């Protein structure tokens, strides 16, 4: 049945989409049809709404998503994630149209490291090489020597001679974790993830006491007091893999709760308990990631907007450290 829709009110420039969707439209069916018709691939991060994850052609962590973006032969990449992820896809695949359902889907880590302030910071630390976490803008990547993700950060740092001074930006928690674990002394930029920073050590300890012997799985974006109580620390896909392969029937999970969807699908008989955040609110959802909705995803595919556009000079400068990362971590699954 043809469903009439009102004319779109689309302001691509600032990324606001004001478009009514007829409630009779079957969004899942339409998104699948549009993907096929337009030769579009839908890449989704684990922190997306479960209904978006279920529509994705590929779900993964930041490293997996970057690799997919570099390798896909689709004509359009629809990125169900946040801005720095879609930007990375555009840097790697400039000939493709890269779409992000909501251009305002940012990241507190990327926001914490403006490129001009980062340039001043670098100038204060001559002789340092710069390793930047992928959670930063293209302009900050362009000032970096190597990019890393939570999957490959340790592996990349291990390839840098011990006497070589390093600046690590923008996540002080991931950088601090690597410093402690590897006995390094990297200079850290003072950024945090607003989701992982707020897990409560006190509440986690009480939860562990109530669930004796249950492994705690934590993302390295959590701060040191929380990581101290973790039995396993890794990226989202490493956490997922650990839970799938470990014999325990119950796990406490200290990362954004969107990942529980795949973990539950992998192991229907297992129980996953989200680690409690500090505030009264019991959820740990990323407000940026959750700006993407199935309605915006549908509109994005339908109107091929909002699109990621980028200055070519910045793109080329940002590409080199990303390629270096892919090369230095080729053996990481
Ligand atoms: P990974 O999925 O690479 O572990 O990153 C987590 C995250 O916070 C992404 O924004
Ligand atoms: Fe950024 Fe944290 Fe959200 Fe990931 S979960 S996008 S690091 S704010």
């Amino acid at each position: 049945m043809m469903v009439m829709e009102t004319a779109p009110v689309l302001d691509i420039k600032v990324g606001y989409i004001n478009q009514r969707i007829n409630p009779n439209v079957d969004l899942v069916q339409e998104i699948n049809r549009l993907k096929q018709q337009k030769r579009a691939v839908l890449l989704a991060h684990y922190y997306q709404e479960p209904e978006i994850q279920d529509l994705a052609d590929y779900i993964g962590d930041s490293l997996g998503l970057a690799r997919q973006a570099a390798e896909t032969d689709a004509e359009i990449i629809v990125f169900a994630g946040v801005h720095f992820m879609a930007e990375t896809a555009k840097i790697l695949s400039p000939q493709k149209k890269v779409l992000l359902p909501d251009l305002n889907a940012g990241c507190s880590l990327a926001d914490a490291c403006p490129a001009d302030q980062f340039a001043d910071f670098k100038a204060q630390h001559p002789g340092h090489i710069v390793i930047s976490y992928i959670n930063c803008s293209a302009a900050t990547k362009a000032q970096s020597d190597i990019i890393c993700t939570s999957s490959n950060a340790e592996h990349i740092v291990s390839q840098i001679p011990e006497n070589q001074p390093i600046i690590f930006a923008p996540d002080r928690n991931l950088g601090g974790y690597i410093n402690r674990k590897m006995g390094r002394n990297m200079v850290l930029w003072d950024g945090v993830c607003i989701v992982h920073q707020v897990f409560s050590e006190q509440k986690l300890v009480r939860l562990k006491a109530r669930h004796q012997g249950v492994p705690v799985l934590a993302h390295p974006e959590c701060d040191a007091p929380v990581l101290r109580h973790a039995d396993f620390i890794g990226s989202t896909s490493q956490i997922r893999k650990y839970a799938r392969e470990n014999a325990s029937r119950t796990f406490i999970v200290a990362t954004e709760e969107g990942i529980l969807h795949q973990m539950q699908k992998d192991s229907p008989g297992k129980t996953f308990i989200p680690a409690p955040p500090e505030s009264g609110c019991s959820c740990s959802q990323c407000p940026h990631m959750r700006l993407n909705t199935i309605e915006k995803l549908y509109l994005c595919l339908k109107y091929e907007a909002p699109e990621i556009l980028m200055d070519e000079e910045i793109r080329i400068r940002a590409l080199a450290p990303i390629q270096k990362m892919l090369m230095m971590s080729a053996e990481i699954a």
Side-chain angles (χ1 to χ4, degrees):
M1 183 182 73
M2 281 290 291
V3 182
M4 298 301 289
E5 291 178 35
T6 54
V9 183
L10 246 177
D11 187 343
I12 301 166
K13 225 167 159 196
V14 288
Y16 293 121
I17 296 174
N18 298 316
Q19 163 70 11
R20 282 197 197 107
I21 299 176
N22 186 315
N24 294 321
V25 172
D26 181 335
L27 293 176
V28 170
Q29 192 180 308
E30 277 302 288
I31 288 169
N32 282 324
R33 185 185 66 76
L34 287 166
K35 273 200 303 176
Q36 221 178 2
Q37 181 196 315
K38 299 187 181 213
R39 296 205 62 246
V41 67
L42 175 58
L43 307 182
H45 189 266
Y46 289 119
Y47 298 165
Q48 293 295 286
E49 300 278 351
E51 59 185 353
I52 293 182
Q53 292 188 37
D54 288 344
L55 279 162
D57 299 295
Y58 176 84
I59 310 166
D61 67 5
S62 307
L63 180 61
L65 288 164
R67 284 175 172 157
Q68 289 292 319
E71 287 162 15
T72 181
D73 57 3
E75 281 165 22
I76 297 177
I77 297 174
V78 184
F79 218 111
V82 289
H83 193 271
F84 76 81
M85 295 177 168
E87 216 175 38
T88 303
K90 186 67 183 176
I91 293 167
L92 285 161
S93 285
Q95 72 290 358
K96 296 189 167 48
K97 191 178 259 190
V98 178
L99 308 173
L100 181 66
D102 191 322
L103 273 190
N104 292 317
C107 169
S108 67
L109 281 166
D111 293 347
C113 193
D116 54 341
Q117 290 176 29
F118 193 54
D120 294 344
F121 187 74
K122 274 179 61 179
Q124 288 159 23
H125 298 89
H128 287 60
I129 71 155
V130 177
I131 303 182
S132 294
Y133 191 32
I134 199 165
N135 298 38
C136 64
S137 68
T140 297
K141 285 185 177 75
Q143 299 184 51
S144 309
D145 297 298
I146 313 168
I147 300 302
C148 71
T149 73
S150 50
S151 284
N152 61 19
E154 262 180 78
H155 186 69
I156 282 173
V157 172
S158 74
Q159 293 171 65
I160 310 298
E162 302 224 343
N163 59 357
Q164 168 63 59
I166 302 172
I167 290 175
F168 189 91
D171 187 357
R172 70 158 191 242
N173 287 336
L174 175 59
Y177 166 67
I178 293 170
N179 273 347
R180 290 189 300 280
K181 184 160 180 196
M182 303 181 71
R184 304 295 288 236
N185 190 24
M186 300 188 296
V187 176
L188 307 179
W189 181 269
D190 192 14
V192 294
C193 160
I194 48 167
V195 178
H196 291 86
Q197 183 62 21
V198 298
F199 288 119
S200 158
E201 183 195 9
Q202 268 183 33
K203 289 183 188 172
L204 179 61
V205 169
R206 284 206 296 270
L207 190 65
K208 270 188 90 158
R210 287 205 303 279
H211 299 274
Q212 298 273 335
V214 165
V216 174
L217 317 182
H219 196 279
E221 288 174 15
C222 296
D223 72 358
V226 166
L227 292 180
R228 240 200 335 258
H229 303 284
D231 299 281
F232 177 77
I233 297 170
S235 72
T236 49
S237 34
Q238 290 166 344
I239 288 175
R240 178 185 177 191
K241 181 169 184 282
Y242 185 95
R244 195 170 52 227
E245 293 174 358
N246 189 273
S248 178
R249 306 303 296 164
T250 308
F251 300 87
I252 296 170
V253 184
T255 191
E256 214 267 10
E257 65 180 42
I259 192 163
L260 301 183
H261 182 56
Q262 295 303 323
M263 292 167 88
Q264 205 66 77
K265 277 170 95 170
D266 289 342
S267 316
K270 294 185 180 178
T271 302
F272 301 101
I273 306 169
E278 204 68 70
S279 73
C281 162
S282 64
C283 70
S284 32
Q285 295 183 349
C286 172
H288 303 291
M289 287 277 182
R290 304 298 174 133
L291 281 178
N292 295 326
T293 60
I294 193 167
E295 288 81 7
K296 289 180 195 169
L297 178 58
Y298 162 66
L299 292 172
C300 171
L301 260 164
K302 186 174 161 90
Y303 298 111
E304 298 182 21
E307 182 179 359
I308 300 289
L309 300 170
M310 196 180 307
D311 177 81
E312 183 61 5
E313 194 224 308
I314 298 266
R315 188 193 73 76
I316 289 170
R317 282 173 47 215
L319 177 62
I322 298 176
Q323 283 177 328
K324 204 155 188 182
M325 166 186 84
L326 294 174
M327 219 174 58
M328 289 174 80
S329 60
E331 59 274 52
I332 302 264

